Amino acid sequence: MTYGKTFAALRDNTPVWPAYTRHAFVQGLGDGTLPHAAFLHYLKQDYVFLIHFSRAWALAVTKADTVAEMRLAAGTVNGLINEELALHIKICAEAGIDEETLFATQERQENLAYTRYVLDAGHSGDLLDLLAALAPCVMGYGEIGTHLAATKTSDTYADWINTYASAEYQQVCHDVGELMDGAVAQRIGNDPATSPRWASLQARFAMATQLEVGFWDMGLDP
Amino acid sequence: MTYGKTFAALRDNTPVWPAYTRHAFVQGLGDGTLPHAAFLHYLKQDYVFLIHFSRAWALAVTKADTVAEMRLAAGTVNGLINEELALHIKICAEAGIDEETLFATQERQENLAYTRYVLDAGHSGDLLDLLAALAPCVMGYGEIGTHLAATKTSDTYADWINTYASAEYQQVCHDVGELMDGAVAQRIGNDPATSPRWASLQARFAMATQLEVGFWDMGLDP
Amino acid sequence: MTYGKTFAALRDNTPVWPAYTRHAFVQGLGDGTLPHAAFLHYLKQDYVFLIHFSRAWALAVTKADTVAEMRLAAGTVNGLINEELALHIKICAEAGIDEETLFATQERQENLAYTRYVLDAGHSGDLLDLLAALAPCVMGYGEIGTHLAATKTSDTYADWINTYASAEYQQVCHDVGELMDGAVAQRIGNDPATSPRWASLQARFAMATQLEVGFWDMGLDP
Amino acid sequence: MTYGKTFAALRDNTPVWPAYTRHAFVQGLGDGTLPHAAFLHYLKQDYVFLIHFSRAWALAVTKADTVAEMRLAAGTVNGLINEELALHIKICAEAGIDEETLFATQERQENLAYTRYVLDAGHSGDLLDLLAALAPCVMGYGEIGTHLAATKTSDTYADWINTYASAEYQQVCHDVGELMDGAVAQRIGNDPATSPRWASLQARFAMATQLEVGFWDMGLDP
């Protein structure tokens, strides 16, 4: 399933992309060698991440120019808060970590840096600036899920992999891709790479990707 | 059904409250004397209002301090965008006005003043400042719906009345009331009227109520 | 002195522009027929206006992409707060109105609508959206000052006229014009009218101009 | 010179405060052992820091409730952009680094994490939340300047030390302290530590202090 031409163009000009989607943490999910302590540490940080990432998607609702943009962004906020967070709560509960403990997780600097950068992209710019910073997480997890579902050699982290490989999650990536393509067409036209804004959108996308690499590094360092 | 003690305290100190909830426009809905042209004009403006009001609720998600606050605000955004807007689209469609026309409605100054004031309350202050500006619309419509359902002498505007008198809408008012009470307890404690902030929250609530009066006035002036 | 090509293009496509810059209020300043009560009423509302307009220029600092953009926006904030507000305080003091009274002025809806619209232009969009909403006030007053200085038939409001006709104020208009031209070049290129964004920038400029007309109308209605 | 009672209370409950103000980087400035490469690396990162820190002070202007709060915040923005940045530009120029190079500095994650956290404190909360995140940098540098001026054993970094020990900078700290005390009195009263908000203000202050420690660590690691 395609994630749209804007995402494809941004990703293909981001040299650090494979360092994110083929990170050692990702490989450990696929072959089951990731230590369970690292996984739980990651889940706790990711719970805090999702809270701030949901805030960034809610910010997108406030910056939409059309009802279609609003609906998609609002649906994403709801999906994140009521579904993706629930997965984290369920897996952590099975490991004996309740939601109060999750919420009280001490946020690591790598985590904080990422979400606050995304929020600032939205506050300082327009919807496109925000989407360029939101896309690496949404679509990167889509690519990782698909890749691991096809290549995994262990079922240890199958629940996690299946979440992001699922038709539902792939549809989210597809819809966000359409949102981006539409937002680009409406603001900078059908040949965006010729726009003076393209370089700064590319820079935001690359910075968010770099911060994803930092997040995986942090995941390996409980 | 109670809308919480914070709302009750703010409303009871807002002299202009009855001018809003017992406005001539409201009476015309109850006795069926409101001209249909005024009602359609109001619906078109209210469609634009709901778009910006949804943006303000999305802003509340970005300003929440707890997951409970986030969930409730995010649920309200979704309800507004996917349900309340749908009512407007349906009634207008029956009157031959399609959604594209609705979206292209020229926003009147009274309308613009209100929603941008609410958004600025959120941007300049914290969640409480925003909630104090959001509450008059949410809860006022709840009171108006209940009142008209009990006193109406005409069924001309029964669909509209039943929407706001419905158990679903009354539950929204109740939930927002709980959100406000919780947000107050967490930020200024259990005796809020003694806080130095109370006067400014009261002033925001009163200004939003005044802007509701202006909105009804505008409704009578297609 | 030119105010830049972006401003000129936006103004020339705004049919309501003359209704703003040649408003009856403006004519009354030039021929001295404006009642003093209306002038003082206007000054009090304009004091409140300048406070929120300064907030909007401060928002521009937070949305700048270059140090040059930041410096100019920050200098404008300072000029507004420390110089233009001072003129209002001085004239009002001479009329027996102290600053505390000024600050306590009940903001009229026409006033509130305008500044909150400008602030929302900034929060929902990027620096260009904000500048398009800020420009009509800054440059319109520059045009009005120059026009009245050349055509006035009374010295009753000479202090006010001279403020906006002054070399200092004209320089502000020139600098803001350069800021706009630079921001446009950097974001949508050197042929902005061909950009898909141009229509929305034009719409913001036109709405802010319309809100200026409403402000003058309010000025004539103490 | 006192920096106000709010700052004193927050600092005295922040165990990590000495790790920031007596950091090895600070000691290296005082005894001249800090490698010049580390100092230049720090200056370049600090130039980028000041740009975003100025944006955060500009955000404070948009969140002020009184003209006094606005004036002080606007004056601080101007001081940062037109004076403190100038010091960095001058010292770097003497070392052969021009401003274009400074502006193009690749922002380190520790740097980015700090300023975006401060900006988000402002966007998600009110002026107090923002001031609690701004204070550790402003006042910490004031304490460090005073301390190093009294204890330094080398003049290698005397220019830097004298900047922050100067009467002008100490006055800034004093004025920001008054701003905080006034903002606290107006929003949570004269016994702030009993307010339910105090814990969250304390947490923001502590997080910003922790991020200052990270910034010094980064400074030692060019």
Coordinates of all heavy atoms in Angstrom, one line a residue, chain D residues 34-91:
Chain D
L34 N 39.2 25.5 30.5 CA 38.3 25.0 29.5 C 39.0 25.2 28.1 O 39.4 26.2 27.8 CB 37.0 25.9 29.5 CG 35.9 25.5 28.5 CD1 35.2 24.2 28.9 CD2 34.9 26.6 28.3
P35 N 39.1 24.1 27.4 CA 39.7 24.2 26.0 C 39.0 25.2 25.2 O 37.8 25.2 25.2 CB 39.6 22.7 25.5 CG 39.3 21.9 26.7 CD 38.6 22.7 27.7
H36 N 39.8 25.9 24.4 CA 39.1 27.0 23.6 C 38.2 26.4 22.5 O 37.2 26.9 22.2 CB 40.2 27.8 22.8 CG 39.7 29.1 22.3 ND1 39.2 30.1 23.1 CD2 39.6 29.6 21.1 CE1 38.8 31.1 22.4 NE2 39.1 30.8 21.1
A37 N 38.5 25.2 22.0 CA 37.6 24.5 21.1 C 36.2 24.2 21.7 O 35.2 24.4 21.1 CB 38.2 23.2 20.6
A38 N 36.3 23.8 23.0 CA 35.0 23.6 23.7 C 34.2 24.9 23.8 O 33.0 24.9 23.7 CB 35.2 22.9 25.0
F39 N 34.9 26.0 24.1 CA 34.3 27.3 24.3 C 33.6 27.7 23.0 O 32.5 28.2 23.0 CB 35.3 28.3 24.8 CG 34.7 29.6 25.1 CD1 33.8 29.8 26.1 CD2 35.1 30.8 24.4 CE1 33.2 31.0 26.4 CE2 34.5 32.0 24.7 CZ 33.6 32.1 25.7
L40 N 34.4 27.6 21.9 CA 33.8 28.0 20.6 C 32.6 27.1 20.2 O 31.6 27.6 19.7 CB 34.9 28.0 19.5 CG 35.9 29.1 19.6 CD1 36.9 29.0 18.4 CD2 35.2 30.5 19.5
H41 N 32.8 25.8 20.5 CA 31.6 24.9 20.2 C 30.4 25.3 21.0 O 29.3 25.4 20.5 CB 32.1 23.5 20.6 CG 31.0 22.5 20.9 ND1 30.1 22.1 20.0 CD2 30.7 21.9 22.0 CE1 29.2 21.3 20.5 NE2 29.6 21.1 21.8
Y42 N 30.7 25.6 22.3 CA 29.6 26.1 23.2 C 28.9 27.4 22.6 O 27.7 27.5 22.6 CB 30.1 26.3 24.6 CG 29.3 27.3 25.4 CD1 28.1 26.9 26.0 CD2 29.8 28.6 25.6 CE1 27.3 27.8 26.7 CE2 29.0 29.5 26.3 CZ 27.8 29.1 26.8 OH 27.1 30.1 27.5
L43 N 29.8 28.3 22.2 CA 29.2 29.6 21.7 C 28.4 29.4 20.5 O 27.3 30.1 20.4 CB 30.4 30.6 21.4 CG 31.0 31.4 22.5 CD1 32.0 32.3 21.9 CD2 30.0 32.1 23.4
K44 N 28.8 28.5 19.6 CA 28.0 28.3 18.4 C 26.6 27.7 18.8 O 25.6 28.1 18.3 CB 28.8 27.4 17.4 CG 29.9 28.1 16.8 CD 30.4 27.4 15.6 CE 31.3 26.2 16.0 NZ 31.9 25.5 14.8
Q45 N 26.6 26.7 19.7 CA 25.4 26.1 20.1 C 24.5 27.1 20.9 O 23.3 27.1 20.7 CB 25.6 24.8 21.0 CG 26.2 23.7 20.2 CD 25.2 23.1 19.2 OE1 24.0 23.0 19.4 NE2 25.8 22.6 18.1
D46 N 25.2 27.9 21.7 CA 24.5 28.9 22.5 C 23.9 30.0 21.6 O 22.8 30.5 21.9 CB 25.4 29.6 23.5 CG 24.7 30.1 24.7 OD1 23.7 29.4 25.2 OD2 25.0 31.2 25.1
Y47 N 24.5 30.3 20.4 CA 23.9 31.2 19.5 C 22.5 30.6 19.0 O 21.5 31.3 19.0 CB 24.8 31.4 18.3 CG 24.3 32.2 17.2 CD1 24.4 33.6 17.2 CD2 23.6 31.7 16.1 CE1 23.9 34.4 16.2 CE2 23.1 32.4 15.1 CZ 23.2 33.8 15.1 OH 22.7 34.6 14.1
V48 N 22.5 29.4 18.6 CA 21.3 28.7 18.2 C 20.3 28.7 19.4 O 19.1 28.9 19.2 CB 21.5 27.3 17.7 CG1 20.2 26.6 17.3 CG2 22.5 27.4 16.5
F49 N 20.8 28.4 20.6 CA 20.0 28.4 21.8 C 19.3 29.7 21.9 O 18.1 29.8 22.2 CB 20.8 28.1 23.0 CG 20.1 28.2 24.3 CD1 19.4 27.1 24.8 CD2 20.0 29.3 25.0 CE1 18.7 27.1 26.0 CE2 19.3 29.4 26.2 CZ 18.6 28.3 26.7
L50 N 20.1 30.8 21.8 CA 19.5 32.1 22.1 C 18.4 32.5 21.1 O 17.5 33.2 21.4 CB 20.6 33.2 22.1 CG 21.5 33.2 23.3 CD1 22.7 34.2 23.1 CD2 20.7 33.6 24.6
I51 N 18.5 32.0 19.9 CA 17.5 32.3 18.9 C 16.1 31.7 19.4 O 15.1 32.3 19.4 CB 17.9 31.7 17.5 CG1 18.9 32.6 16.9 CG2 16.7 31.6 16.6 CD1 19.6 32.1 15.7
H52 N 16.2 30.4 19.8 CA 15.0 29.8 20.2 C 14.5 30.3 21.6 O 13.3 30.3 21.9 CB 15.1 28.3 20.2 CG 15.3 27.7 18.8 ND1 14.3 27.7 17.9 CD2 16.4 27.3 18.2 CE1 14.8 27.2 16.7 NE2 16.0 27.0 16.9
F53 N 15.5 30.6 22.4 CA 15.2 31.2 23.8 C 14.5 32.6 23.6 O 13.5 32.9 24.3 CB 16.4 31.4 24.6 CG 16.2 31.4 26.1 CD1 15.7 30.3 26.8 CD2 16.5 32.6 26.8 CE1 15.5 30.3 28.1 CE2 16.3 32.6 28.2 CZ 15.9 31.5 28.8
S54 N 14.9 33.3 22.6 CA 14.2 34.6 22.3 C 12.8 34.4 21.8 O 11.9 35.1 22.1 CB 15.0 35.4 21.2 OG 16.3 35.6 21.6
R55 N 12.6 33.3 21.0 CA 11.3 33.0 20.6 C 10.4 32.7 21.8 O 9.2 33.0 21.8 CB 11.3 31.8 19.6 CG 12.0 32.0 18.3 CD 12.1 30.7 17.5 NE 10.8 30.2 17.3 CZ 10.5 28.9 17.4 NH1 11.5 28.0 17.6 NH2 9.3 28.4 17.2
A56 N 11.0 32.0 22.8 CA 10.2 31.7 24.0 C 9.8 32.9 24.8 O 8.7 33.0 25.3 CB 11.0 30.7 24.9
W57 N 10.7 33.9 24.8 CA 10.4 35.2 25.5 C 9.4 35.9 24.7 O 8.5 36.6 25.3 CB 11.7 36.0 25.7 CG 12.3 35.7 27.1 CD1 13.4 34.9 27.3 CD2 11.9 36.1 28.4 NE1 13.7 34.8 28.6 CE2 12.8 35.5 29.3 CE3 10.8 36.8 28.8 CZ2 12.6 35.7 30.7 CZ3 10.6 37.0 30.2 CH2 11.5 36.5 31.1
A58 N 9.4 35.8 23.4 CA 8.4 36.5 22.6 C 7.0 35.8 22.8 O 6.0 36.5 22.9 CB 8.8 36.4 21.1
L59 N 7.1 34.5 23.0 CA 5.8 33.8 23.4 C 5.3 34.4 24.7 O 4.0 34.5 24.9 CB 6.1 32.3 23.5 CG 4.9 31.4 23.7 CD1 3.9 31.5 22.6 CD2 5.3 29.9 23.9
A60 N 6.2 34.7 25.6 CA 5.7 35.3 26.9 C 4.9 36.6 26.7 O 4.0 36.9 27.4 CB 6.9 35.5 27.8
V61 N 5.4 37.4 25.7 CA 4.6 38.6 25.4 C 3.2 38.3 25.0 O 2.3 39.0 25.5 CB 5.3 39.4 24.3 CG1 4.5 40.6 23.9 CG2 6.7 39.8 24.6
T62 N 3.0 37.2 24.2 CA 1.7 36.9 23.8 C 0.8 36.3 24.9 O -0.4 36.2 24.8 CB 1.7 35.8 22.7 OG1 2.0 34.5 23.2 CG2 2.7 36.1 21.6
K63 N 1.5 35.9 26.0 CA 0.7 35.3 27.2 C 0.6 36.2 28.4 O 0.2 35.7 29.4 CB 1.4 34.0 27.5 CG 1.4 33.0 26.3 CD 2.0 31.6 26.7 CE 1.1 30.8 27.4 NZ 0.0 30.2 26.7
A64 N 1.1 37.4 28.2 CA 1.0 38.4 29.4 C -0.4 38.8 29.6 O -1.2 38.9 28.7 CB 1.9 39.6 29.1
D65 N -0.7 39.1 30.9 CA -2.1 39.6 31.2 C -2.1 41.1 31.5 O -3.2 41.7 31.6 CB -2.6 38.8 32.4 CG -3.1 37.5 32.1 OD1 -3.2 37.1 30.9 OD2 -3.4 36.7 33.1
T66 N -0.9 41.7 31.7 CA -0.9 43.1 32.0 C 0.1 43.8 31.1 O 1.0 43.1 30.6 CB -0.5 43.3 33.5 OG1 0.9 42.9 33.6 CG2 -1.3 42.6 34.5
V67 N 0.0 45.1 31.0 CA 1.0 45.8 30.2 C 2.4 45.8 30.8 O 3.4 45.7 30.1 CB 0.5 47.3 30.0 CG1 1.5 48.1 29.2 CG2 -0.9 47.3 29.3
A68 N 2.4 45.7 32.1 CA 3.7 45.6 32.8 C 4.4 44.3 32.4 O 5.6 44.3 32.1 CB 3.6 45.7 34.3
E69 N 3.7 43.2 32.4 CA 4.2 41.9 32.0 C 4.7 42.0 30.6 O 5.8 41.5 30.2 CB 3.2 40.8 32.2 CG 2.9 40.4 33.7 CD 1.8 39.4 33.8 OE1 1.2 39.0 32.8 OE2 1.5 39.0 35.0
M70 N 3.9 42.6 29.7 CA 4.3 42.7 28.3 C 5.5 43.5 28.1 O 6.4 43.1 27.3 CB 3.2 43.4 27.5 CG 1.9 42.6 27.3 SD 0.8 43.6 26.2 CE 1.6 43.4 24.6
R71 N 5.6 44.6 28.8 CA 6.8 45.5 28.6 C 8.1 44.8 29.0 O 9.1 44.8 28.3 CB 6.6 46.8 29.5 CG 5.7 47.8 28.8 CD 5.9 49.2 29.4 NE 5.0 50.1 28.7 CZ 3.9 50.6 29.3 NH1 3.6 50.5 30.5 NH2 3.1 51.4 28.5
L72 N 8.0 44.1 30.1 CA 9.2 43.4 30.6 C 9.6 42.3 29.7 O 10.8 42.1 29.3 CB 9.0 42.9 32.0 CG 10.4 42.8 32.7 CD1 10.2 43.2 34.2 CD2 11.0 41.4 32.5
A73 N 8.6 41.5 29.2 CA 8.9 40.4 28.3 C 9.4 40.9 27.0 O 10.4 40.4 26.4 CB 7.7 39.5 28.1
A74 N 8.8 42.0 26.5 CA 9.3 42.5 25.2 C 10.7 43.1 25.3 O 11.5 43.0 24.4 CB 8.3 43.6 24.7
G75 N 11.0 43.8 26.4 CA 12.3 44.3 26.6 C 13.3 43.2 26.7 O 14.5 43.3 26.2
T76 N 13.0 42.0 27.3 CA 13.9 40.9 27.3 C 14.1 40.3 25.9 O 15.3 40.0 25.6 CB 13.3 39.8 28.3 OG1 13.0 40.4 29.5 CG2 14.3 38.7 28.5
V77 N 13.1 40.2 25.1 CA 13.3 39.7 23.8 C 14.3 40.6 23.0 O 15.2 40.2 22.4 CB 11.9 39.8 23.0 CG1 12.2 39.4 21.5 CG2 10.9 38.8 23.6
N78 N 14.1 41.9 23.2 CA 15.0 42.9 22.5 C 16.4 42.8 23.0 O 17.3 42.8 22.2 CB 14.4 44.3 22.7 CG 14.2 45.0 21.4 OD1 13.8 44.4 20.4 ND2 14.6 46.3 21.4
G79 N 16.5 42.7 24.3 CA 17.9 42.5 24.9 C 18.6 41.3 24.4 O 19.8 41.3 24.0
L80 N 17.8 40.2 24.3 CA 18.4 38.9 23.9 C 18.9 39.0 22.4 O 20.0 38.6 22.1 CB 17.4 37.8 24.0 CG 17.2 37.3 25.5 CD1 15.9 36.4 25.5 CD2 18.4 36.5 25.9
I81 N 18.0 39.5 21.6 CA 18.2 39.5 20.1 C 19.3 40.6 19.8 O 20.1 40.3 18.9 CB 16.9 39.7 19.3 CG1 16.0 38.6 19.6 CG2 17.2 39.9 17.9 CD1 14.6 38.7 18.9
N82 N 19.2 41.7 20.4 CA 20.1 42.8 20.0 C 21.3 43.0 20.8 O 22.2 43.7 20.4 CB 19.3 44.1 19.9 CG 18.2 44.1 18.8 OD1 18.5 43.6 17.7 ND2 17.0 44.5 19.1
E83 N 21.4 42.4 22.0 CA 22.6 42.5 22.8 C 23.3 41.2 23.1 O 24.5 41.1 22.7 CB 22.2 43.2 24.1 CG 21.9 44.7 23.9 CD 21.2 45.4 25.1 OE1 21.6 45.1 26.2 OE2 20.3 46.2 24.8
E84 N 22.6 40.2 23.6 CA 23.3 39.0 24.0 C 23.8 38.3 22.8 O 24.9 37.8 22.7 CB 22.4 38.1 24.9 CG 23.2 37.1 25.7 CD 22.4 36.5 26.8 OE1 21.4 37.0 27.3 OE2 22.9 35.4 27.3
L85 N 22.9 38.2 21.7 CA 23.4 37.6 20.5 C 24.6 38.3 19.9 O 25.5 37.7 19.4 CB 22.2 37.6 19.4 CG 21.2 36.5 19.3 CD1 20.3 36.7 18.1 CD2 21.9 35.1 19.2
A86 N 24.6 39.6 20.1 CA 25.7 40.4 19.6 C 27.1 40.0 20.2 O 28.1 40.0 19.6 CB 25.5 41.9 19.8
L87 N 27.0 39.7 21.5 CA 28.2 39.3 22.2 C 28.8 38.0 21.5 O 30.0 37.9 21.3 CB 27.9 39.0 23.7 CG 29.1 38.3 24.5 CD1 30.2 39.3 24.8 CD2 28.5 37.6 25.7
H88 N 27.9 37.1 21.3 CA 28.3 35.8 20.6 C 28.9 36.1 19.2 O 29.9 35.5 18.9 CB 27.1 34.9 20.5 CG 26.7 34.3 21.8 ND1 26.2 35.1 22.8 CD2 26.7 33.0 22.3 CE1 25.9 34.3 23.9 NE2 26.2 33.0 23.5
I89 N 28.2 37.0 18.5 CA 28.7 37.3 17.2 C 30.1 37.9 17.2 O 30.9 37.5 16.4 CB 27.7 38.2 16.4 CG1 26.3 37.5 16.2 CG2 28.2 38.7 15.1 CD1 25.2 38.3 15.8
K90 N 30.3 38.8 18.2 CA 31.6 39.5 18.3 C 32.7 38.5 18.7 O 33.7 38.4 18.0 CB 31.4 40.5 19.4 CG 32.7 41.3 19.7 CD 32.5 42.4 20.7 CE 33.7 42.9 21.4 NZ 34.2 42.0 22.5
I91 N 32.5 37.7 19.7 CA 33.5 36.7 20.1 C 33.8 35.7 19.0 O 35.0 35.4 18.7 CB 33.1 36.0 21.4 CG1 32.9 37.0 22.6 CG2 34.2 35.0 21.8 CD1 32.5 36.4 23.9

